[in-house]
Amino acid sequence: MKNTQATIRDIAIKLNISISTVSRALRGAPDVNPETKKAVLEMAERLHYEPNRVAQSLRIKRTNTLGIIVPEIALHFFSSAISGMQEEASHHGYSIMICQSLESYETEKQNVHMLAANRVDGLFISMSSETKDYAHIQQLLNKNIPVVLFDRVTDSLQVAKVVVDDHDGAFKAVEHLIKTGCRRIAYIGGPLTFYISNQRKRGYLDALKQYNIAPDEELIVHCDELHHEPVERVKRLLQLPPDKRPDALFCLNDPIALLVLQMLKEQSIRVPDDISVVGFTNEPVSGFIEPSLTTVSQPSHEIGKKAIELFIQQNQDQDNFIPATEVMKTTLVVRNSTRKI
Amino acid sequence: MKNTQATIRDIAIKLNISISTVSRALRGAPDVNPETKKAVLEMAERLHYEPNRVAQSLRIKRTNTLGIIVPEIALHFFSSAISGMQEEASHHGYSIMICQSLESYETEKQNVHMLAANRVDGLFISMSSETKDYAHIQQLLNKNIPVVLFDRVTDSLQVAKVVVDDHDGAFKAVEHLIKTGCRRIAYIGGPLTFYISNQRKRGYLDALKQYNIAPDEELIVHCDELHHEPVERVKRLLQLPPDKRPDALFCLNDPIALLVLQMLKEQSIRVPDDISVVGFTNEPVSGFIEPSLTTVSQPSHEIGKKAIELFIQQNQDQDNFIPATEVMKTTLVVRNSTRKI
């Protein structure tokens, strides 16, 4: 397909002057005759000339574009974090481009390569649950492309990070379950290598410890896949003998908790009378379902804004920048899927 | 910030051969000594050399990247359409980049310029509700950049389009209201220049006509702003004398219907006993709220896939391509915000 975007050359030909004069006029160089300059600017407008940012970026190495990679934009947590990012980025004159990995490590790698090839000025990544190898991100760092990780992060990379206090959020959720009389609390978590899942498990275990409840390995579930496996694993827990069965489920996130609630409803198991359920994220749907879901709310919009702030700081003072991890606080939102205290 | 991405030049220096030999080796040209070629490929891998897609795109004018602009990714309709696009695009070897206009005409223009500057191979746009001028899109067409419009389209541009049958969807929704005994049905629409709003209004009017109900101008509401104005306008309708008051609200989309439902609940107005409410889109929340929302479901995922298909067709046979408008069918989903027949 022929690309007919107007170039500096087109302007030069139309005005019968040299390409270098056009270039200098467009740059606002002082050594151009004012009338020539006026003619160049008018012709540029008439031809809808746009500075070829691709060619330009080869010279000035700045695109004023930021790239964002998230697992899935349909999850409210991510679309809300992105809205915070876009708000803050536009204050600083940056536009943003978004890609989704759809929880696939391969797609995440492709996204990283595409955005790097388009010379974004910075990359903001929340990693897929499949990602166990960070070479694709390390390569960006080796090329001096600033990277900020958010929410789904790893200890293996020395970069700025924005996370929520997953440990504290999980602790508060499990403490609430204990205070409402639950004793056999199961943790329905993600893959063993999944950072946020492990942080939340630590909070779960510490809450049990604080209230002198011995953890039961049988009640700690790690799912490699997050769409079908959690429900199947919960079904198996419910088939345990009555004294082994859980009386509460603390789920890695709201999407899992919602799938579990649906299954419990289908099996006519009453929530919270027979079993309590707690999520993590506070997706909008969670306040609407019956029973509404008790969950840990994350400040998603603020996480997005903070990620951009860290990038701006890094960009302003590259020499003294030390990669920091910002930890944002969560709030427990008590609704009807847990018993009253 | 210094960009340290490896270049062809770095490979040439390391191997002490010419840049042109490296370039030919990487291209797989036949006139390169097999051992030299092997050495070049190994060095390219060692240095994590990536073909500079920015420089490359200046030559081959293809980036294998598609750009998508939507009003807001947080709306399920758009995230679902994007998931359909990403699925279909990846089948054809394209990656996608997403931008959101946040219903701002200015941001939409910026997004168009940014994606065009990054030389995407095609652009998929669902326009902001503010957009009344299409010059920014016409300019893309003048530059031979293929554009596909979806959902939020305009008759003013000669491009491929994917829309739902808004007229038919609205007709079915209003017919359902009439069949359940409603007679004073209000239409809560968008700006007067908003294409889909006008299509849905036509369907609304035709349904009234078919059942011999005279339309009442007082019950036809056009909102320029879609977050606060609709609720305020409905409040005013409810203050009309009893014989003028609406007994049903057909809303432009689910987000508006959900805000209206919330307000009615706050004012203890019973749905559907006092007033029936119907939406358009079928957002996931709509099935969860109390009462659940009767709405018109759009095949969002299929709309996304179809948009990519139209682009692929256009790309394969540019000369014979005639911009077509694909019209997708909707389904009425009857829930509890309307009375039983």
Side-chain angles (χ1 to χ4, degrees):
Chain A
M1 186 169 301
K2 193 163 165 273
N3 192 313
T4 55
Q5 210 150 305
T7 63
I8 290 189
R9 195 161 175 271
D10 297 329
I11 300 172
I13 290 170
K14 290 265 184 199
L15 296 174
N16 198 18
I17 56 177
S18 77
I19 290 176
S20 112
T21 305
V22 174
S23 167
R24 277 179 294 125
L26 290 171
R27 272 209 312 274
D31 59 345
V32 183
N33 177 312
E35 286 196 9
T36 308
K37 190 175 167 186
K38 187 158 166 279
V40 167
L41 294 180
E42 279 171 8
M43 184 58 72
E45 204 178 324
R46 225 185 82 201
L47 297 179
H48 301 299
Y49 167 78
E50 271 176 50
N52 183 336
R53 204 185 281 187
V54 178
Q56 216 175 44
S57 72
L58 283 174
R59 294 194 303 274
I60 63 167
K61 313 228 172 197
R62 268 180 68 90
T63 55
N64 283 317
T65 303
L66 304 177
I68 302 174
I69 303 172
V70 295
E72 200 179 343
I73 55 173
L75 293 178
H76 178 259
F77 173 78
F78 292 114
S79 63
S80 169
I82 288 169
S83 100
M85 287 178 165
Q86 186 155 350
E87 190 181 308
E88 190 67 21
S90 75
H91 283 168
H92 294 278
Y94 287 96
S95 297
I96 67 164
M97 296 196 289
I98 307 153
C99 295
Q100 44 182 3
S101 65
L102 301 175
E103 303 284 12
S104 150
Y105 167 63
E106 282 304 323
T107 306
E108 181 177 297
K109 276 208 299 190
Q110 278 171 25
N111 289 337
V112 163
H113 289 161
M114 172 173 65
L115 291 169
N118 278 304
R119 300 292 186 266
V120 290
D121 291 336
L123 249 169
F124 300 76
I125 305 172
S126 194
M127 292 187 288
S128 90
S129 57
E130 268 185 23
T131 304
K132 291 164 195 170
D133 172 314
Y134 313 106
H136 58 308
I137 302 176
Q138 187 57 52
Q139 282 175 29
L140 296 171
L141 302 175
N142 297 346
K143 291 170 190 170
N144 276 338
I145 299 173
V147 173
V148 179
L149 297 180
F150 65 103
D151 191 53
R152 309 265 199 100
V153 306
T154 171
D155 283 332
S156 309
L157 292 170
Q158 295 302 310
V159 295
K161 290 165 206 167
V162 188
V163 294
V164 294
D165 194 338
D166 286 296
H167 178 276
D168 181 61
F171 187 97
K172 286 185 291 200
V174 175
E175 183 173 49
H176 175 73
L177 288 169
I178 297 170
K179 285 188 176 169
T180 57
C182 300
R183 286 299 171 270
R184 292 195 51 77
I185 302 166
Y187 175 53
I188 314 302
L192 269 169
T193 50
F194 195 15
Y195 184 84
I196 57 169
S197 178
N198 292 329
Q199 294 295 101
R200 290 172 194 177
K201 188 171 95 177
R202 283 205 310 111
Y204 158 85
L205 290 173
D206 285 347
L208 294 183
K209 193 173 168 190
Q210 169 127 350
Y211 289 88
N212 298 314
I213 300 173
D216 179 348
E217 278 301 324
E218 211 164 4
L219 296 182
I220 300 175
V221 174
H222 292 282
C223 303
D224 281 319
E225 187 276 334
L226 304 179
H227 289 100
H228 304 285
E229 195 181 339
V231 168
E232 294 311 311
R233 300 291 289 272
V234 170
K235 277 186 188 166
R236 266 188 266 162
L237 290 180
L238 297 174
Q239 285 159 6
L240 290 171
D243 61 318
K244 295 280 183 189
R245 217 175 280 163
D247 57 12
L249 304 168
F250 170 47
C251 300
L252 170 68
N253 59 28
D254 278 18
I256 291 176
L258 296 172
L259 290 170
V260 165
L261 277 181
Q262 199 179 344
M263 180 272 287
L264 294 171
K265 196 177 272 184
E266 281 162 19
Q267 303 214 350
S268 304
I269 296 170
R270 293 168 309 163
V271 176
D273 306 28
D274 298 332
I275 194 163
S276 295
V277 179
V278 176
F280 207 114
T281 344
N282 200 19
E283 294 274 331
V285 172
S286 306
F288 286 119
I289 49 158
E290 270 297 311
S292 56
L293 180 68
T294 295
T295 188
V296 179
S297 175
Q298 296 170 296
S300 44
H301 194 84
E302 285 64 40
I303 290 170
K305 288 180 73 164
K306 180 58 77 181
I308 299 288
E309 281 173 27
L310 290 184
F311 163 76
I312 299 289
Q313 283 170 23
Q314 174 167 5
N315 231 9
Q316 279 169 349
D317 191 4
Q318 180 65 17
D319 295 337
N320 297 311
F321 179 77
I322 298 157
T325 297
E326 287 279 346
V327 181
M328 316 285 277
K329 279 283 168 197
T330 60
T331 323
L332 182 69
V333 180
V334 176
R335 296 203 187 98
N336 297 325
S337 66
T338 48
R339 299 181 219 163
K340 303 287 162 253
I341 292 188
Chain B
M1 185 168 301
K2 192 159 166 274
N3 192 313
T4 54
Q5 211 150 304
T7 63
I8 290 190
R9 197 164 172 270
D10 298 327
I11 300 172
I13 290 170
K14 289 265 184 198
L15 295 175
N16 198 18
I17 57 178
S18 77
I19 290 176
S20 112
T21 304
V22 174
S23 168
R24 279 180 292 127
L26 290 171
R27 271 208 315 275
D31 58 345
V32 183
N33 177 311
E35 286 195 8
T36 309
K37 189 174 165 187
K38 189 160 164 275
V40 167
L41 295 179
E42 279 171 8
M43 183 59 70
E45 205 178 323
R46 225 185 81 199
L47 298 178
H48 300 301
Y49 168 77
E50 271 176 50
N52 184 335
R53 205 187 283 188
V54 179
Q56 215 175 43
S57 72
L58 284 174
R59 293 194 304 272
I60 63 166
K61 313 229 172 196
R62 269 180 68 91
T63 55
N64 283 317
T65 303
L66 304 177
I68 302 174
I69 302 173
V70 295
E72 200 180 342
I73 55 172
L75 293 178
H76 178 258
F77 173 78
F78 292 114
S79 62
S80 168
I82 289 170
S83 99
M85 286 178 165
Q86 185 155 350
E87 188 181 308
E88 190 66 20
S90 75
H91 283 168
H92 294 278
Y94 287 96
S95 298
I96 67 165
M97 296 196 291
I98 307 152
C99 294
Q100 44 181 3
S101 66
L102 301 175
E103 302 285 9
S104 151
Y105 167 62
E106 282 305 322
T107 306
E108 181 176 298
K109 276 208 298 190
Q110 279 171 25
N111 289 338
V112 163
H113 290 162
M114 173 173 66
L115 291 169
N118 278 305
R119 300 292 187 268
V120 290
D121 292 336
L123 249 169
F124 300 78
I125 305 174
S126 193
M127 291 187 289
S128 90
S129 56
E130 269 185 22
T131 304
K132 291 163 193 169
D133 171 316
Y134 313 106
H136 58 306
I137 301 175
Q138 186 58 54
Q139 282 175 29
L140 295 172
L141 302 176
N142 297 346
K143 291 171 191 170
N144 277 337
I145 299 173
V147 173
V148 179
L149 297 180
F150 65 101
D151 190 51
R152 309 267 199 98
V153 306
T154 170
D155 283 333
S156 309
L157 293 170
Q158 295 302 310
V159 296
K161 291 165 205 166
V162 188
V163 296
V164 295
D165 193 338
D166 286 296
H167 178 277
D168 180 61
F171 187 97
K172 285 185 291 200
V174 175
E175 183 174 49
H176 174 73
L177 287 169
I178 297 169
K179 285 189 175 169
T180 58
C182 301
R183 285 300 172 268
R184 292 195 53 76
I185 301 166
Y187 175 53
I188 315 302
L192 269 169
T193 51
F194 194 16
Y195 184 85
I196 58 169
S197 178
N198 293 329
Q199 294 295 100
R200 291 172 194 176
K201 187 171 96 177
R202 285 205 309 111
Y204 157 86
L205 292 172
D206 284 348
L208 294 183
K209 193 171 167 192
Q210 169 125 350
Y211 289 88
N212 298 314
I213 300 172
D216 179 348
E217 278 302 322
E218 210 164 4
L219 297 182
I220 299 175
V221 174
H222 290 282
C223 304
D224 281 321
E225 186 275 333
L226 304 179
H227 289 101
H228 304 285
E229 195 180 339
V231 168
E232 293 312 311
R233 300 290 290 274
V234 171
K235 277 185 188 165
R236 265 186 270 163
L237 290 180
L238 297 175
Q239 286 158 7
L240 291 171
D243 62 319
K244 294 279 184 191
R245 215 174 283 164
D247 57 12
L249 304 168
F250 170 48
C251 301
L252 170 67
N253 59 28
D254 279 17
I256 292 177
L258 296 173
L259 290 170
V260 166
L261 277 182
Q262 198 179 347
M263 180 270 286
L264 294 172
K265 196 178 271 185
E266 281 161 21
Q267 303 213 352
S268 303
I269 297 170
R270 292 167 309 163
V271 176
D273 305 26
D274 299 332
I275 193 163
S276 295
V277 178
V278 175
F280 206 113
T281 343
N282 200 19
E283 295 274 332
V285 172
S286 306
F288 287 119
I289 49 159
E290 271 298 309
S292 56
L293 181 68
T294 295
T295 188
V296 179
S297 174
Q298 297 170 296
S300 44
H301 194 83
E302 284 65 38
I303 290 170
K305 288 180 73 165
K306 181 58 77 180
I308 300 288
E309 280 172 29
L310 291 184
F311 163 77
I312 299 288
Q313 283 169 24
Q314 175 165 3
N315 231 10
Q316 278 169 350
D317 191 4
Q318 181 65 16
D319 295 336
N320 297 311
F321 180 77
I322 299 157
T325 297
E326 286 279 344
V327 181
M328 316 285 277
K329 279 284 169 196
T330 61
T331 323
L332 182 69
V333 181
V334 176
R335 296 203 186 99
N336 298 326
S337 66
T338 49
R339 299 181 220 163
K340 302 288 162 253
I341 293 189

